[in-house]
PDB file of all heavy atoms in Angstrom:
ATOM      1  N   ARG Q  31     -10.520   9.872  -6.978  1.00 86.00           N
ATOM      2  CA  ARG Q  31      -9.420  10.525  -7.782  1.00 86.00           C
ATOM      3  C   ARG Q  31      -8.615   9.527  -8.611  1.00 86.00           C
ATOM      4  O   ARG Q  31      -8.142   9.863  -9.652  1.00 86.00           O
ATOM      5  CB  ARG Q  31      -8.547  11.263  -6.805  1.00 86.00           C
ATOM      6  CG  ARG Q  31      -7.507  12.203  -7.477  1.00 86.00           C
ATOM      7  CD  ARG Q  31      -8.159  13.264  -8.362  1.00 86.00           C
ATOM      8  NE  ARG Q  31      -9.003  14.192  -7.689  1.00 86.00           N
ATOM      9  CZ  ARG Q  31      -8.597  15.238  -7.042  1.00 86.00           C
ATOM     10  NH1 ARG Q  31      -7.321  15.530  -6.936  1.00 86.00           N
ATOM     11  NH2 ARG Q  31      -9.466  16.086  -6.475  1.00 86.00           N
ATOM     12  N   TYR Q  36      -2.006  -3.114  -6.849  1.00 98.00           N
ATOM     13  CA  TYR Q  36      -0.693  -3.485  -6.401  1.00 98.00           C
ATOM     14  C   TYR Q  36      -0.560  -4.983  -6.411  1.00 98.00           C
ATOM     15  O   TYR Q  36      -1.538  -5.704  -6.196  1.00 98.00           O
ATOM     16  CB  TYR Q  36      -0.421  -2.913  -5.028  1.00 98.00           C
ATOM     17  CG  TYR Q  36      -0.292  -1.435  -4.847  1.00 98.00           C
ATOM     18  CD1 TYR Q  36      -1.386  -0.606  -4.701  1.00 98.00           C
ATOM     19  CD2 TYR Q  36       1.005  -0.848  -4.797  1.00 98.00           C
ATOM     20  CE1 TYR Q  36      -1.204   0.733  -4.544  1.00 98.00           C
ATOM     21  CE2 TYR Q  36       1.166   0.486  -4.657  1.00 98.00           C
ATOM     22  CZ  TYR Q  36       0.065   1.306  -4.555  1.00 98.00           C
ATOM     23  OH  TYR Q  36       0.203   2.678  -4.340  1.00 98.00           O
ATOM     24  N   GLN Q  38       1.617  -7.919  -4.188  1.00 97.00           N
ATOM     25  CA  GLN Q  38       2.398  -8.049  -2.954  1.00 97.00           C
ATOM     26  C   GLN Q  38       2.816  -9.569  -2.826  1.00 97.00           C
ATOM     27  O   GLN Q  38       1.979 -10.390  -2.758  1.00 97.00           O
ATOM     28  CB  GLN Q  38       1.611  -7.617  -1.731  1.00 97.00           C
ATOM     29  CG  GLN Q  38       2.524  -7.658  -0.455  1.00 97.00           C
ATOM     30  CD  GLN Q  38       1.816  -7.070   0.773  1.00 97.00           C
ATOM     31  OE1 GLN Q  38       0.560  -7.027   0.838  1.00 97.00           O
ATOM     32  NE2 GLN Q  38       2.578  -6.626   1.719  1.00 97.00           N
ATOM     33  N   GLY Q  43       6.901  -5.579   0.514  1.00 97.00           N
ATOM     34  CA  GLY Q  43       6.002  -4.433   0.378  1.00 97.00           C
ATOM     35  C   GLY Q  43       5.247  -4.499  -0.930  1.00 97.00           C
ATOM     36  O   GLY Q  43       5.702  -5.101  -1.905  1.00 97.00           O
ATOM     37  N   PHE Q  46       3.639  -1.375  -7.016  1.00 96.00           N
ATOM     38  CA  PHE Q  46       2.630  -0.642  -7.833  1.00 96.00           C
ATOM     39  C   PHE Q  46       2.555  -1.227  -9.181  1.00 96.00           C
ATOM     40  O   PHE Q  46       3.572  -1.519  -9.867  1.00 96.00           O
ATOM     41  CB  PHE Q  46       3.012   0.848  -7.897  1.00 96.00           C
ATOM     42  CG  PHE Q  46       2.204   1.606  -8.880  1.00 96.00           C
ATOM     43  CD1 PHE Q  46       0.886   1.909  -8.533  1.00 96.00           C
ATOM     44  CD2 PHE Q  46       2.665   2.001 -10.077  1.00 96.00           C
ATOM     45  CE1 PHE Q  46       0.116   2.667  -9.443  1.00 96.00           C
ATOM     46  CE2 PHE Q  46       1.954   2.714 -11.006  1.00 96.00           C
ATOM     47  CZ  PHE Q  46       0.646   3.031 -10.662  1.00 96.00           C
ATOM     48  N   THR Q  49      -2.564   2.663 -12.307  1.00 94.00           N
ATOM     49  CA  THR Q  49      -3.521   3.625 -11.833  1.00 94.00           C
ATOM     50  C   THR Q  49      -4.611   3.804 -12.889  1.00 94.00           C
ATOM     51  O   THR Q  49      -4.284   3.942 -14.076  1.00 94.00           O
ATOM     52  CB  THR Q  49      -2.850   5.035 -11.608  1.00 94.00           C
ATOM     53  OG1 THR Q  49      -1.770   4.878 -10.705  1.00 94.00           O
ATOM     54  CG2 THR Q  49      -3.868   5.990 -11.037  1.00 94.00           C
ATOM     55  N   TYR Q  51      -8.031   6.137 -13.826  1.00 90.00           N
ATOM     56  CA  TYR Q  51      -8.579   7.426 -13.360  1.00 90.00           C
ATOM     57  C   TYR Q  51     -10.068   7.595 -13.600  1.00 90.00           C
ATOM     58  O   TYR Q  51     -10.752   8.222 -12.817  1.00 90.00           O
ATOM     59  CB  TYR Q  51      -7.865   8.576 -14.125  1.00 90.00           C
ATOM     60  CG  TYR Q  51      -6.428   8.754 -13.746  1.00 90.00           C
ATOM     61  CD1 TYR Q  51      -5.434   8.179 -14.568  1.00 90.00           C
ATOM     62  CD2 TYR Q  51      -6.058   9.503 -12.616  1.00 90.00           C
ATOM     63  CE1 TYR Q  51      -4.102   8.329 -14.178  1.00 90.00           C
ATOM     64  CE2 TYR Q  51      -4.733   9.676 -12.316  1.00 90.00           C
ATOM     65  CZ  TYR Q  51      -3.752   9.085 -13.098  1.00 90.00           C
ATOM     66  OH  TYR Q  51      -2.394   9.226 -12.742  1.00 90.00           O
ATOM     67  N   GLN Q  91      -8.346   6.248  -4.100  1.00 91.00           N
ATOM     68  CA  GLN Q  91      -7.775   7.478  -3.580  1.00 91.00           C
ATOM     69  C   GLN Q  91      -8.778   8.614  -3.799  1.00 91.00           C
ATOM     70  O   GLN Q  91      -9.427   8.748  -4.832  1.00 91.00           O
ATOM     71  CB  GLN Q  91      -6.467   7.790  -4.316  1.00 91.00           C
ATOM     72  CG  GLN Q  91      -5.763   8.996  -3.792  1.00 91.00           C
ATOM     73  CD  GLN Q  91      -4.442   9.201  -4.460  1.00 91.00           C
ATOM     74  OE1 GLN Q  91      -4.373   9.390  -5.691  1.00 91.00           O
ATOM     75  NE2 GLN Q  91      -3.304   9.236  -3.729  1.00 91.00           N
ATOM     76  N   GLY Q  96      -6.465  17.152   4.745  1.00 60.00           N
ATOM     77  CA  GLY Q  96      -5.224  17.253   5.457  1.00 60.00           C
ATOM     78  C   GLY Q  96      -3.993  17.463   4.592  1.00 60.00           C
ATOM     79  O   GLY Q  96      -2.891  17.454   5.043  1.00 60.00           O
ATOM     80  N   TYR Q  98      -3.172  15.682   1.885  1.00 67.00           N
ATOM     81  CA  TYR Q  98      -2.656  14.560   1.225  1.00 67.00           C
ATOM     82  C   TYR Q  98      -3.841  13.763   0.554  1.00 67.00           C
ATOM     83  O   TYR Q  98      -4.982  14.159   0.812  1.00 67.00           O
ATOM     84  CB  TYR Q  98      -1.912  13.535   2.100  1.00 67.00           C
ATOM     85  CG  TYR Q  98      -2.830  12.631   2.934  1.00 67.00           C
ATOM     86  CD1 TYR Q  98      -2.902  11.304   2.645  1.00 67.00           C
ATOM     87  CD2 TYR Q  98      -3.583  13.151   3.928  1.00 67.00           C
ATOM     88  CE1 TYR Q  98      -3.719  10.494   3.358  1.00 67.00           C
ATOM     89  CE2 TYR Q  98      -4.437  12.285   4.714  1.00 67.00           C
ATOM     90  CZ  TYR Q  98      -4.460  10.990   4.393  1.00 67.00           C
ATOM     91  OH  TYR Q  98      -5.296  10.158   5.117  1.00 67.00           O
ATOM     92  N   GLN Q  99      -3.575  12.867  -0.301  1.00 74.00           N
ATOM     93  CA  GLN Q  99      -4.579  12.119  -0.992  1.00 74.00           C
ATOM     94  C   GLN Q  99      -4.841  10.815  -0.209  1.00 74.00           C
ATOM     95  O   GLN Q  99      -4.004   9.982  -0.164  1.00 74.00           O
ATOM     96  CB  GLN Q  99      -4.175  11.770  -2.372  1.00 74.00           C
ATOM     97  CG  GLN Q  99      -3.820  13.006  -3.251  1.00 74.00           C
ATOM     98  CD  GLN Q  99      -4.978  13.639  -3.898  1.00 74.00           C
ATOM     99  OE1 GLN Q  99      -5.932  12.934  -4.238  1.00 74.00           O
ATOM    100  NE2 GLN Q  99      -4.971  14.908  -3.995  1.00 74.00           N
ATOM    101  N   VAL Q 101      -5.872   7.261   0.803  1.00 89.00           N
ATOM    102  CA  VAL Q 101      -5.960   5.962   0.032  1.00 89.00           C
ATOM    103  C   VAL Q 101      -6.582   4.976   1.001  1.00 89.00           C
ATOM    104  O   VAL Q 101      -6.112   4.789   2.133  1.00 89.00           O
ATOM    105  CB  VAL Q 101      -4.573   5.525  -0.399  1.00 89.00           C
ATOM    106  CG1 VAL Q 101      -4.662   4.169  -1.108  1.00 89.00           C
ATOM    107  CG2 VAL Q 101      -3.958   6.577  -1.340  1.00 89.00           C
ATOM    108  N   ILE Q 105      -8.529  -5.798   1.234  1.00 95.00           N
ATOM    109  CA  ILE Q 105      -7.756  -6.831   1.893  1.00 95.00           C
ATOM    110  C   ILE Q 105      -6.889  -7.623   0.874  1.00 95.00           C
ATOM    111  O   ILE Q 105      -5.891  -8.176   1.290  1.00 95.00           O
ATOM    112  CB  ILE Q 105      -8.689  -7.748   2.677  1.00 95.00           C
ATOM    113  CG1 ILE Q 105      -9.368  -7.002   3.818  1.00 95.00           C
ATOM    114  CG2 ILE Q 105      -7.917  -8.999   3.179  1.00 95.00           C
ATOM    115  CD1 ILE Q 105     -10.347  -7.794   4.611  1.00 95.00           C
TER     116      ILE Q 105
ATOM    117  N   GLN H  38       0.149  -3.553   8.513  1.00 95.00           N
ATOM    118  CA  GLN H  38      -0.637  -4.569   7.774  1.00 95.00           C
ATOM    119  C   GLN H  38      -0.727  -5.776   8.695  1.00 95.00           C
ATOM    120  O   GLN H  38       0.330  -6.396   9.014  1.00 95.00           O
ATOM    121  CB  GLN H  38      -0.008  -4.968   6.469  1.00 95.00           C
ATOM    122  CG  GLN H  38      -0.862  -5.893   5.624  1.00 95.00           C
ATOM    123  CD  GLN H  38      -0.156  -6.190   4.322  1.00 95.00           C
ATOM    124  OE1 GLN H  38       1.096  -6.284   4.185  1.00 95.00           O
ATOM    125  NE2 GLN H  38      -0.949  -6.275   3.205  1.00 95.00           N
ATOM    126  N   GLY H  41      -5.059 -10.777   7.291  1.00 77.00           N
ATOM    127  CA  GLY H  41      -6.540 -10.760   7.051  1.00 77.00           C
ATOM    128  C   GLY H  41      -7.128  -9.352   7.091  1.00 77.00           C
ATOM    129  O   GLY H  41      -8.338  -9.217   7.017  1.00 77.00           O
ATOM    130  N   LEU H  46      -3.514   2.947   7.564  1.00 92.00           N
ATOM    131  CA  LEU H  46      -2.659   4.154   7.665  1.00 92.00           C
ATOM    132  C   LEU H  46      -2.542   4.571   9.073  1.00 92.00           C
ATOM    133  O   LEU H  46      -3.482   4.758   9.782  1.00 92.00           O
ATOM    134  CB  LEU H  46      -3.241   5.303   6.776  1.00 92.00           C
ATOM    135  CG  LEU H  46      -2.480   6.555   6.787  1.00 92.00           C
ATOM    136  CD1 LEU H  46      -1.084   6.332   6.105  1.00 92.00           C
ATOM    137  CD2 LEU H  46      -3.198   7.668   6.070  1.00 92.00           C
ATOM    138  N   TYR H  49       0.941  10.182   8.417  1.00 91.00           N
ATOM    139  CA  TYR H  49       1.435  10.683   7.132  1.00 91.00           C
ATOM    140  C   TYR H  49       2.082  12.024   7.413  1.00 91.00           C
ATOM    141  O   TYR H  49       1.801  12.712   8.416  1.00 91.00           O
ATOM    142  CB  TYR H  49       0.302  10.841   6.088  1.00 91.00           C
ATOM    143  CG  TYR H  49      -0.775  11.872   6.391  1.00 91.00           C
ATOM    144  CD1 TYR H  49      -0.635  13.156   5.964  1.00 91.00           C
ATOM    145  CD2 TYR H  49      -1.880  11.479   7.070  1.00 91.00           C
ATOM    146  CE1 TYR H  49      -1.628  14.112   6.184  1.00 91.00           C
ATOM    147  CE2 TYR H  49      -2.882  12.466   7.332  1.00 91.00           C
ATOM    148  CZ  TYR H  49      -2.743  13.733   6.852  1.00 91.00           C
ATOM    149  OH  TYR H  49      -3.677  14.656   7.161  1.00 91.00           O
ATOM    150  N   GLU H  59      -3.616   9.176  11.902  1.00 83.00           N
ATOM    151  CA  GLU H  59      -4.913   8.729  11.452  1.00 83.00           C
ATOM    152  C   GLU H  59      -5.655   7.893  12.472  1.00 83.00           C
ATOM    153  O   GLU H  59      -6.881   7.853  12.556  1.00 83.00           O
ATOM    154  CB  GLU H  59      -4.776   7.873  10.184  1.00 83.00           C
ATOM    155  CG  GLU H  59      -4.599   8.689   8.920  1.00 83.00           C
ATOM    156  CD  GLU H  59      -5.868   9.420   8.481  1.00 83.00           C
ATOM    157  OE1 GLU H  59      -6.845   8.750   8.200  1.00 83.00           O
ATOM    158  OE2 GLU H  59      -5.814  10.687   8.521  1.00 83.00           O
ATOM    159  N   PHE H  88       3.169  -6.064  10.357  1.00 97.00           N
ATOM    160  CA  PHE H  88       4.072  -5.746   9.261  1.00 97.00           C
ATOM    161  C   PHE H  88       3.943  -4.278   8.985  1.00 97.00           C
ATOM    162  O   PHE H  88       2.915  -3.770   8.617  1.00 97.00           O
ATOM    163  CB  PHE H  88       3.692  -6.578   8.035  1.00 97.00           C
ATOM    164  CG  PHE H  88       4.711  -6.593   6.922  1.00 97.00           C
ATOM    165  CD1 PHE H  88       6.039  -6.782   7.188  1.00 97.00           C
ATOM    166  CD2 PHE H  88       4.296  -6.380   5.627  1.00 97.00           C
ATOM    167  CE1 PHE H  88       7.003  -6.740   6.164  1.00 97.00           C
ATOM    168  CE2 PHE H  88       5.215  -6.434   4.592  1.00 97.00           C
ATOM    169  CZ  PHE H  88       6.566  -6.543   4.870  1.00 97.00           C
ATOM    170  N   SER H 101      -4.074  17.846 -10.434  1.00 65.00           N
ATOM    171  CA  SER H 101      -5.275  17.491  -9.660  1.00 65.00           C
ATOM    172  C   SER H 101      -5.604  16.010  -9.886  1.00 65.00           C
ATOM    173  O   SER H 101      -6.705  15.524  -9.486  1.00 65.00           O
ATOM    174  CB  SER H 101      -6.496  18.275 -10.087  1.00 65.00           C
ATOM    175  OG  SER H 101      -6.727  18.123 -11.525  1.00 65.00           O
ATOM    176  N   GLY H 102      -4.635  15.211 -10.311  1.00 67.00           N
ATOM    177  CA  GLY H 102      -4.898  13.772 -10.547  1.00 67.00           C
ATOM    178  C   GLY H 102      -4.597  13.013  -9.282  1.00 67.00           C
ATOM    179  O   GLY H 102      -4.646  13.537  -8.191  1.00 67.00           O
ATOM    180  N   SER H 103      -4.306  11.770  -9.443  1.00 70.00           N
ATOM    181  CA  SER H 103      -4.000  10.877  -8.316  1.00 70.00           C
ATOM    182  C   SER H 103      -2.550  10.646  -8.164  1.00 70.00           C
ATOM    183  O   SER H 103      -1.786  10.948  -9.119  1.00 70.00           O
ATOM    184  CB  SER H 103      -4.785   9.495  -8.498  1.00 70.00           C
ATOM    185  OG  SER H 103      -4.253   8.835  -9.625  1.00 70.00           O
ATOM    186  N   TYR H 104      -2.163  10.237  -7.016  1.00 83.00           N
ATOM    187  CA  TYR H 104      -0.759  10.082  -6.709  1.00 83.00           C
ATOM    188  C   TYR H 104      -0.480   8.716  -6.127  1.00 83.00           C
ATOM    189  O   TYR H 104      -0.794   8.485  -4.946  1.00 83.00           O
ATOM    190  CB  TYR H 104      -0.338  11.151  -5.704  1.00 83.00           C
ATOM    191  CG  TYR H 104      -0.613  12.575  -6.216  1.00 83.00           C
ATOM    192  CD1 TYR H 104      -1.813  13.211  -5.965  1.00 83.00           C
ATOM    193  CD2 TYR H 104       0.348  13.181  -7.003  1.00 83.00           C
ATOM    194  CE1 TYR H 104      -2.059  14.488  -6.402  1.00 83.00           C
ATOM    195  CE2 TYR H 104       0.101  14.514  -7.431  1.00 83.00           C
ATOM    196  CZ  TYR H 104      -1.097  15.117  -7.205  1.00 83.00           C
ATOM    197  OH  TYR H 104      -1.382  16.331  -7.666  1.00 83.00           O
ATOM    198  N   GLU H 105      -0.009   7.854  -6.951  1.00 89.00           N
ATOM    199  CA  GLU H 105       0.269   6.484  -6.374  1.00 89.00           C
ATOM    200  C   GLU H 105       1.296   6.553  -5.354  1.00 89.00           C
ATOM    201  O   GLU H 105       2.240   7.396  -5.412  1.00 89.00           O
ATOM    202  CB  GLU H 105       0.643   5.508  -7.546  1.00 89.00           C
ATOM    203  CG  GLU H 105       1.799   6.010  -8.339  1.00 89.00           C
ATOM    204  CD  GLU H 105       1.349   6.798  -9.611  1.00 89.00           C
ATOM    205  OE1 GLU H 105       0.178   7.172  -9.710  1.00 89.00           O
ATOM    206  OE2 GLU H 105       2.190   6.950 -10.479  1.00 89.00           O
ATOM    207  N   GLN H 106       1.243   5.593  -4.371  1.00 93.00           N
ATOM    208  CA  GLN H 106       2.241   5.493  -3.332  1.00 93.00           C
ATOM    209  C   GLN H 106       3.128   4.360  -3.637  1.00 93.00           C
ATOM    210  O   GLN H 106       2.690   3.287  -4.138  1.00 93.00           O
ATOM    211  CB  GLN H 106       1.505   5.269  -2.013  1.00 93.00           C
ATOM    212  CG  GLN H 106       0.630   6.471  -1.567  1.00 93.00           C
ATOM    213  CD  GLN H 106      -0.043   6.286  -0.346  1.00 93.00           C
ATOM    214  OE1 GLN H 106       0.111   5.311   0.381  1.00 93.00           O
ATOM    215  NE2 GLN H 106      -0.919   7.233   0.057  1.00 93.00           N
ATOM    216  N   GLY H 109       8.100   0.619   0.700  1.00 97.00           N
ATOM    217  CA  GLY H 109       9.361   0.012   1.086  1.00 97.00           C
ATOM    218  C   GLY H 109       9.185  -1.457   1.254  1.00 97.00           C
ATOM    219  O   GLY H 109       8.107  -1.952   1.106  1.00 97.00           O
TER     220      GLY H 109
END
Side-chain angles (χ1 to χ4, degrees):
Chain Q
R31 188 58 63 83
Y36 288 86
Q38 186 174 24
F46 171 74
T49 303
Y51 294 96
Q91 186 176 57
Y98 82 107
Q99 303 276 326
V101 178
I105 294 175
Chain H
Q38 187 176 36
L46 180 64
Y49 68 90
E59 282 289 295
F88 191 47
S101 61
S103 64
Y104 303 92
E105 54 268 13
Q106 295 178 8

